[in-house]
Amino acid sequence: MKNIAYLFLAFVLIFSSCSEEEIPAQMTVELNFENTLNGKPLQLNSETFTLPSGEPFIAKKLKYYISNVVLTDTQSGAIYNVPNSYHLLGEDFKSTVELGMIPSANYDQITFSIGVDAEANAKTDQTGDLDPNNDMAWNWNSGYKFVVLEGEFTHKTTGERTGLVLHIGRNQNYKTVTQSLTGIRAGRAAQIQLKTVVDQLFLSPNALNASELPSTTIMGGELADKIGENYANGFITIE
Amino acid sequence: MKTSRLLVLALVWSFWSCQDENLLPESPVEVVPETFIPELSSSLQVGDFPQPERNPLSKEGVKLGKRLFFDPKLSANGKISCASCHLPSKAFTDGVALSKKGVSGNALHRHSSPLFNLAWHTTGLFWDGGANDLESLNFGPLTHPDEMAADLEEIVAYLIQDKTYPELFAQAFPKNPIQSATISRALSQYTRTLISQTSKYDDWKRGEATLNSLELQGYQLYQNHCSSCHQEGLFTDLDYHNNGLDLIYPDPPALEGLFLGRFRISFDSLDLGAYKTPSLRNVTLTAPYMHDGRFESLEEVLDHYQSGIQVNYSLAPQLKEGINLSPDERKALLSFLKTLQDDAFVLSHIQDSEK
């Protein structure tokens, strides 16, 4: 009787150990975002920054959505689509996205989008990070602001403190980014460090000179789409 | 004894080791409110009632939405409800061009829209169609500083501590707690039940009433001159047109393209100065007229169409020649428009709001 019990225990242990190499079936993953400007960590209400076009700049608000995070192990083909993946990040706001326990794999690629997809962007009666109480839903034009940067710069010609308001949204500015990951091992807790480079909103492919903008309040139209093109590449990168 | 302990250990181990730790406990059985579809008159010419997938009508949802609609405590100063600018007695308009009733006291830039037959407004809401649906629209008037100026988190806090609301929310939305989304969904359910379909015109269309000869002549004139945009049934084509109110459109950055009409949403130059065709139903109750309430009477509106059209690039082609009516024809047309006044609708909602 005793022997049978030990046998049973051994049997159970063999089958319950998940995989041959003792790799846990699941692992925790979190994404950490650091916002930067002029190559240093962004601080709101600080006088020590300049815009890429040279004007002294005081940032007052930075918030942005990333959504539909996908982790891929290109070797094994394992793909993990984060469910209900809408994450609002910002300076003096959230800087971490916890994916929780996800299936283990040697993930070597991350895909995510800046903004929210057309389906989620069509209606604003939503919850979680998409709750309109987050001040990112437009009231008069259903949808979400994808990237918000607000601040004041010193105008090159007038010398005056000038408000700069970028509220970039609309479906055409939903941009998907894929980046390589290194050092993630199946079964081990992983922290993915990402850098959000605010400079890139003004840099390429559309260099924007703040003091020459026809309007320093940009909430739609051609200029907003140009900023959308700018944040499509190099705005959020793996460190 | 030892054996059974080992067995238990083994069993525990086997269940513990590879289980998904995120497994949720089984959710308790919930009473889902029964959905319903309102009865419709054939004279609406709409086919059926488009039940929104994410927010189907239930008696519980409508009841909650009605309470929210008439509750001034949702506003920042506790004095303004939705009904402050959408009065049942005026087919849910307010009788002024640009209201100053909001929390800030500043005049609005747009005239308060009538609220009826909204379920079929699937081409966008607001004068410029900027809101995709009622559920998204409601956050505008709730939070705009010149309207109810509410903080959504403060509304949620108020509703949670209230004596009545938590129970009403639990009945209407058993799966969701009180949050922005369910507040807006309840309001939308109520406003979707505001269906105007009991005017003299409706009775006539169903063969239950007759129009006199003047009204019939007016109906002919309506068909010839108005029906391309104010399509029969809902008496709107649910589309956007520049009806020649202004030649040029100022664009101060702070107003985010407000005077550009539908263009601020579509960025299509043919939508410059274009606004949604308002319904002619209840038009005798919804003065003043146009998106900014600039015309005080229907006479002024007809004057505009007769001789006031401003011709520019985006003008609706139907209006290039204007609408020329003799004084007798005007009289007939206005007489027909009066048959679209739905007193039964108005009365029932005045009474309902007092319950």
Side-chain angles (χ1 to χ4, degrees):
Chain A
M1 187 60 198
K2 210 173 181 181
N3 286 345
I4 292 171
Y6 278 121
L7 205 73
F8 180 69
L9 176 61
F11 196 74
V12 166
L13 282 173
I14 286 165
F15 281 91
S16 65
S17 59
C18 302
S19 76
E20 293 155 42
E21 293 163 25
E22 298 286 333
I23 296 173
Q26 298 198 311
M27 58 197 279
T28 61
V29 175
E30 66 177 45
L31 315 178
N32 297 315
F33 292 78
E34 185 187 31
N35 306 311
T36 69
L37 181 59
N38 310 142
K40 55 189 181 186
L42 179 67
Q43 284 179 288
L44 299 184
N45 305 307
S46 160
E47 304 206 3
T48 57
F49 295 93
T50 57
L51 290 173
S53 46
E55 297 90 340
F57 177 65
I58 300 169
K60 305 231 160 170
K61 186 175 184 182
L62 173 71
K63 272 182 162 184
Y64 49 94
Y65 277 107
I66 71 152
S67 64
N68 300 308
V69 176
V70 180
L71 294 171
T72 307
D73 176 348
T74 57
Q75 296 301 309
S76 73
I79 293 174
Y80 179 67
N81 290 289
V82 176
N84 192 25
S85 178
Y86 300 99
H87 318 282
L88 180 56
L89 298 150
E91 190 58 36
D92 292 351
F93 193 70
K94 267 194 289 183
S95 60
T96 299
V97 176
E98 308 237 9
L99 302 184
M101 294 292 280
I102 73 168
S104 281
N106 297 313
Y107 294 113
D108 58 4
Q109 186 177 289
I110 185 171
T111 300
F112 58 86
S113 298
I114 299 166
V116 305
D117 52 89
E119 196 186 337
N121 201 32
K123 297 160 77 67
T124 56
D125 58 322
Q126 306 202 62
T127 57
D129 280 9
L130 293 175
D131 191 312
N133 69 5
N134 287 315
D135 198 24
M136 290 293 277
W138 263 303
N139 284 334
W140 52 271
N141 189 2
S142 300
Y144 290 88
K145 302 164 195 171
F146 297 170
V147 175
V148 167
L149 175 68
E150 295 177 10
E152 287 176 357
F153 68 98
T154 309
H155 199 281
K156 273 182 185 165
T157 26
T158 66
E160 282 175 14
R161 281 261 192 103
T162 307
L164 182 69
V165 177
L166 312 182
H167 290 181
I168 314 302
R170 302 174 73 86
N171 291 337
Q172 67 267 32
N173 292 318
Y174 176 73
K175 305 289 183 182
T176 301
V177 175
T178 297
Q179 300 245 305
S180 298
L181 297 171
T182 51
I184 293 186
R185 300 279 304 277
R188 294 195 192 169
Q191 292 194 324
I192 300 172
Q193 307 294 334
L194 297 107
K195 194 157 79 172
T196 302
V197 184
V198 175
D199 312 65
Q200 181 52 28
L201 298 175
F202 305 89
L203 281 178
S204 63
N206 306 303
L208 299 177
N209 191 327
S211 296
E212 289 170 13
L213 290 171
S215 166
T216 59
T217 298
I218 301 173
M219 303 189 175
E222 268 178 53
L223 265 176
D225 293 352
K226 282 187 172 173
I227 293 169
E229 287 169 15
N230 286 355
Y231 69 60
N233 285 300
F235 177 54
I236 303 179
T237 58
I238 299 294
E239 277 196 69
Chain B
M1 188 61 196
K2 206 172 176 187
T3 307
S4 59
R5 257 192 223 162
L6 276 173
L7 263 168
V8 168
L9 177 66
L11 276 169
V12 166
W13 176 266
S14 66
F15 278 99
W16 174 74
S17 61
C18 290
Q19 286 291 324
D20 183 338
E21 291 181 8
N22 290 330
L23 268 188
L24 296 168
E26 271 185 52
S27 45
V29 181
E30 281 152 344
V31 185
V32 180
E34 199 179 322
T35 63
F36 74 96
I37 285 180
E39 275 182 40
L40 301 178
S41 165
S42 57
S43 53
L44 282 173
Q45 301 189 23
V46 289
D48 55 6
F49 182 87
Q51 185 79 288
E53 199 180 317
R54 193 148 101 184
N55 189 28
L57 294 188
S58 68
K59 284 208 172 69
E60 293 83 354
V62 173
K63 184 180 167 193
L64 169 61
K66 191 184 106 184
R67 190 182 178 90
L68 292 165
F69 188 88
F70 290 97
D71 187 350
K73 288 188 183 145
L74 300 187
S75 66
N77 65 3
K79 293 177 182 169
I80 317 294
S81 73
C82 303
S84 299
C85 295
H86 297 286
L87 285 73
S89 61
K90 295 184 189 300
F92 293 90
T93 56
D94 61 358
V96 297
L98 300 170
S99 178
K100 292 180 184 170
K101 269 200 178 169
V103 169
S104 68
N106 295 331
L108 301 182
H109 293 285
R110 297 267 169 87
H111 176 53
S112 179
S113 291
L115 306 181
F116 53 78
N117 303 345
L118 296 171
W120 296 278
H121 285 240
T122 50
T123 56
L125 294 135
F126 284 141
W127 283 100
D128 57 21
N132 287 343
D133 56 14
L134 286 167
E135 284 80 355
S136 306
L137 174 145
N138 291 328
F139 299 115
L142 279 171
T143 60
H144 195 288
D146 297 334
E147 299 184 50
M148 294 168 75
D151 178 316
L152 294 174
E153 286 182 26
E154 282 173 18
I155 294 187
V156 170
Y158 154 64
L159 296 172
I160 286 173
Q161 59 75 42
D162 185 77
K163 278 181 196 157
T164 315
Y165 278 116
E167 178 66 19
L168 295 177
F169 271 92
Q171 287 165 359
F173 304 104
K175 286 181 183 165
N176 293 293
I178 299 176
Q179 50 192 336
S180 322
T182 44
I183 294 165
S184 184
R185 286 175 198 172
L187 282 166
S188 306
Q189 287 193 37
Y190 171 64
T191 50
R192 279 199 186 94
T193 63
L194 307 178
I195 299 175
S196 177
Q197 53 180 355
T198 43
S199 65
K200 185 176 179 186
Y201 162 85
D202 295 292
D203 292 346
W204 172 60
K205 273 282 153 172
R206 288 192 308 264
E208 295 161 15
T210 51
L211 298 192
N212 65 36
S213 61
L214 193 63
E215 291 163 344
L216 283 170
Q217 190 202 343
Y219 177 62
Q220 286 290 323
L221 289 162
Y222 151 77
Q223 285 189 309
N224 294 340
H225 297 287
C226 318
S227 64
S228 65
C229 294
H230 297 281
Q231 277 172 17
E232 201 167 349
L234 294 174
F235 286 86
T236 165
D237 59 358
L238 304 173
D239 206 348
Y240 303 84
H241 306 280
N242 168 8
N243 63 344
L245 292 172
D246 298 299
L247 206 53
I248 51 164
Y249 313 101
D251 185 17
L255 291 183
E256 304 178 66
L258 190 104
F259 299 124
L260 305 181
R262 174 79 175 153
F263 177 86
R264 89 196 286 228
I265 306 301
S266 69
F267 291 95
D268 178 344
S269 58
L270 279 170
D271 281 336
L272 272 167
Y275 295 91
K276 192 171 190 179
T277 311
S279 176
L280 296 181
R281 285 180 174 273
N282 298 306
V283 74
T284 43
L285 298 173
T286 59
Y289 303 102
M290 305 298 151
H291 65 280
D292 52 6
R294 68 177 68 187
F295 298 135
E296 282 184 17
S297 65
L298 288 172
E299 285 287 347
E300 280 185 38
V301 173
L302 292 177
D303 285 346
H304 165 72
Y305 286 128
Q306 184 131 354
S307 56
I309 301 268
Q310 306 291 303
V311 180
N312 66 9
Y313 166 76
S314 60
L315 177 71
Q318 304 92 313
L319 290 172
K320 277 203 173 111
E321 310 298 323
I323 298 172
N324 293 297
L325 298 175
S326 70
D328 283 349
E329 287 175 323
R330 270 197 190 200
K331 210 175 145 198
L333 181 61
L334 292 172
S335 161
F336 169 67
L337 293 179
K338 186 84 179 166
T339 71
L340 293 168
Q341 180 173 315
D342 190 347
D343 292 329
F345 165 75
V346 166
L347 265 176
S348 72
H349 286 291
I350 292 173
Q351 285 163 0
D352 189 44
S353 69
E354 286 162 358
K355 275 180 203 163

